Amino acid sequence: MSNNTSSHNPTVAAYKRAVEILGMKPNIANALEMPDRELTVEVPFKMDNGEINSVVGYRVQHNNTRGPFKGGIRYHQHVDIEEVRSLATLMTWKTSLVNIPYGGGKGGIAINPLNYSKNELERISRRFFRSIDPIIGPNIDIPAPDVNTNAQIMSWFMDEYSQRHGYTPAIVTGKPIELGGSLGREEATGRGTAIITKEAAKKWNIYLDKAEVVIQGFGNVGSYAAKFLNDYGCKIIAVSDVSGGLYDPNGLDINSLFAYNKKHKTIDGYNQGKKITNDELLSLKCDFLIPAALGSAINSKNVHSVNCKVIIEAANGPVTGGAADKLWERKIAIIPDILTNAGGVTVSYFEWVQNLQQFKWTEEDVNNKLQDKMINAFEDVYSVKIDKKVPMRIASFMVAIDRVHQSYMLREG
Ligand code: NAD
């Protein structure tokens, strides 16, 4: 559950600071913070034993000034309206930052999916999508996968919507390739993370082929980031997952570890490197530390031991607001999540464009366009950072909020 109002929430704090520096009028700053619409629905469904059960679902549409609402739907027992609202807001800034024609939205169902059979999950998913049908559409609001939702669930969503409205692949992204998913989507967030790291290396005068990299989390984002950074010539000296970490000062064999992890779904048992804990991993001396696992990984308890030049936030919110302040004092740069992990939503946008065009792009097309978007966003942020002498997070919010503000004034003013 999120603490949406806390000044320790880096998103809330960054918003306040950014609107202050932008000199935005308080009434407009309040208007842009407020969600357009919040929907809470009861989702009744039949259990496998024939009993009727019911769970609660949400869709929050934060802002659609620059385009349709866009954001994932997560299934988690801790989902509540505050968390969904906070994540929907973040999507507005993220889509604006990479300059794609979307606003921000988010949804969720408060369930632990492990407690339900596949058939029950299908009935829950279809019923939820029917319940939010009045407020979604390919030009209105386009959901996507998030925590514990996947391409199969997107297929049920798309099928449910298409039965009512005719064949509409553009109603959701993150679909299987066979149903209109985009090539390159699986790797997109890790690829975007690697591209951003490469750009940061240029600005912070770090030679990529000499750079030492440490990555926490070896799931979708962390493992692909490791693979692409390894391709760029970086030395990945440590990685970890929930089972613990592996450290080799000479560099891990990432291609072989990647293959091992694909097969075993863990790095545990891989036969290279010294075993270390996640705490030890976060304190290793390196050029780039990439937290790609979970929120608040770097916090007031462990921030003093961080020993890198730049933190690349691949996960959402891996550095707490208090820890970020301490790192700023120590001149350790943070490239924020809103920029670093925007590769996923960017390729989701490409999927939607391909669906609307009914035309499939090559993987090379997708990757080149992703690279352009990520580099442009990085440059936009970096020039504000230099101009205003602010951290990259504040600069990111300034770029993103300014774009939404300008569109908002043109439409409402
Ligand atoms: P994932 O479930 O594929 O992988 C998560 C990884 O973190 C796994 O290796 C897991 O073992 C590891 N992990 C979990 N708990 C840990 C712990 N306590 N210590 C160390 N490692 C731990 O998830 P993902 O899709 O790679 O997402 C990672 C992060 O990136 C999340 O914060 C997610 O919200 C964010 N993100 C993902 C995407 C995307 O496209 N996948 C897009 C934007 C943001």
Side-chain angles (χ1 to χ4, degrees):
M1 276 178 285
S2 68
N3 184 357
N4 200 24
T5 50
S6 163
S7 63
H8 290 293
N9 178 331
T11 301
V12 175
Y15 181 79
K16 287 200 162 52
R17 183 83 199 288
V19 297
E20 201 178 285
I21 302 171
L22 286 167
M24 196 183 292
K25 288 183 182 164
N27 53 325
I28 303 295
N30 282 341
L32 292 186
E33 215 176 2
M34 214 181 286
D36 284 9
R37 186 192 274 137
E38 299 185 348
L39 179 64
T40 300
V41 292
E42 182 214 355
V43 185
F45 66 100
K46 199 173 265 181
M47 307 262 288
D48 289 344
N49 65 9
E51 292 291 329
I52 303 293
N53 199 346
S54 124
V55 293
V56 62
Y58 308 96
R59 186 71 185 169
V60 173
Q61 300 176 329
H62 174 252
N63 186 294
N64 65 351
T65 301
R66 300 181 66 261
F69 304 103
K70 180 83 187 113
I73 292 176
R74 63 174 54 180
Y75 289 0
H76 195 278
Q77 58 276 24
H78 290 153
V79 162
D80 64 15
I81 191 69
E82 294 238 324
E83 179 185 70
V84 178
R85 183 186 300 136
S86 163
L87 294 166
T89 310
L90 193 60
M91 287 305 294
T92 301
W93 313 134
K94 194 179 283 190
T95 55
S96 171
L97 182 60
V98 278
N99 214 352
I100 54 181
Y102 281 145
K106 205 80 176 191
I109 305 183
I111 52 167
N112 178 352
L114 295 177
N115 293 342
Y116 299 93
S117 70
K118 187 175 177 192
N119 285 337
E120 287 169 340
L121 281 178
E122 177 173 357
R123 289 194 286 272
I124 292 170
S125 302
R126 287 182 182 276
R127 180 58 192 247
F128 172 70
F129 223 59
R130 284 207 296 282
S131 300
I132 65 169
D133 184 280
I135 64 160
I136 61 171
N139 290 308
I140 302 170
D141 183 350
I142 306 120
D146 199 86
V147 174
N148 292 332
T149 52
N150 53 30
Q152 173 61 75
I153 294 174
M154 297 309 113
S155 305
W156 294 327
F157 285 165
M158 179 223 161
D159 180 66
E160 198 61 39
Y161 191 87
S162 294
Q163 284 188 39
R164 293 161 170 258
H165 302 274
Y167 177 64
T168 320
I171 184 60
V172 283
T173 58
K175 299 177 293 295
I177 303 286
E178 298 82 350
L179 282 183
S182 179
L183 295 167
R185 174 61 187 91
E186 188 185 324
E187 306 90 324
T189 308
R191 187 184 287 279
T193 299
I195 294 167
I196 291 296
T197 308
K198 190 179 183 179
E199 295 310 298
K202 291 179 200 160
K203 306 295 187 194
W204 272 267
N205 297 319
I206 297 167
Y207 293 104
L208 262 194
D209 57 352
K210 295 203 179 86
E212 295 188 329
V213 179
V214 168
I215 302 178
Q216 185 194 40
F218 210 68
N220 173 276
V221 180
S223 67
Y224 277 111
K227 193 168 157 46
F228 296 123
L229 286 168
N230 184 61
D231 291 348
Y232 290 161
C234 298
K235 198 201 287 183
I236 318 292
I237 59 169
V239 303
S240 68
D241 67 10
V242 70
S243 73
L246 294 171
Y247 169 58
D248 186 337
N250 298 315
L252 293 160
D253 180 344
I254 289 300
N255 286 329
S256 129
L257 180 55
F258 187 90
Y260 180 93
N261 184 62
K262 267 251 173 242
K263 185 166 172 207
H264 300 275
K265 308 279 176 244
T266 175
I267 61 169
D268 194 25
Y270 183 70
N271 62 3
Q272 187 198 353
K274 179 181 161 217
K275 279 193 165 222
I276 54 171
T277 65
N278 266 291
D279 281 342
E280 287 166 334
L281 173 127
L282 292 173
S283 61
L284 287 173
K285 184 170 188 300
C286 59
D287 295 294
F288 293 109
L289 174 60
I290 308 186
L294 65 175
S296 305
I298 299 169
N299 50 53
S300 57
K301 292 202 184 98
N302 61 12
V303 64
H304 59 276
S305 63
V306 169
N307 194 4
C308 65
K309 291 184 184 144
V310 182
I311 294 177
I312 308 281
E313 287 191 329
N316 280 323
V319 181
T320 62
D325 292 343
K326 295 252 157 48
L327 292 163
W328 175 252
E329 284 164 18
R330 288 174 55 198
K331 298 196 172 15
I332 295 177
I334 303 174
I335 313 297
D337 47 5
I338 181 181
L339 173 62
T340 305
N341 67 30
V345 72
T346 302
V347 175
S348 279
Y349 160 60
F350 297 158
E351 176 178 335
W352 178 73
V353 172
Q354 291 171 75
N355 295 155
L356 293 175
Q357 291 179 332
Q358 295 288 341
F359 184 77
K360 209 154 188 80
W361 303 354
T362 64
E363 193 164 351
E364 198 185 353
D365 261 350
V366 172
N367 293 343
N368 288 341
K369 288 183 168 70
L370 171 64
Q371 174 152 306
D372 287 352
K373 282 278 175 208
M374 298 304 293
I375 293 178
N376 288 341
F378 185 95
E379 286 296 333
D380 290 344
V381 172
Y382 191 76
S383 62
V384 171
K385 173 204 161 46
I386 296 298
D387 191 34
K388 302 288 180 193
K389 298 186 176 51
V390 291
M392 288 290 276
R393 187 190 313 281
I394 305 300
S396 299
F397 274 76
M398 287 173 69
V399 171
I401 294 165
D402 191 42
R403 276 192 194 125
V404 177
H405 180 209
Q406 287 185 36
S407 310
Y408 185 83
M409 294 316 285
L410 286 165
R411 290 182 65 161
E412 304 287 342

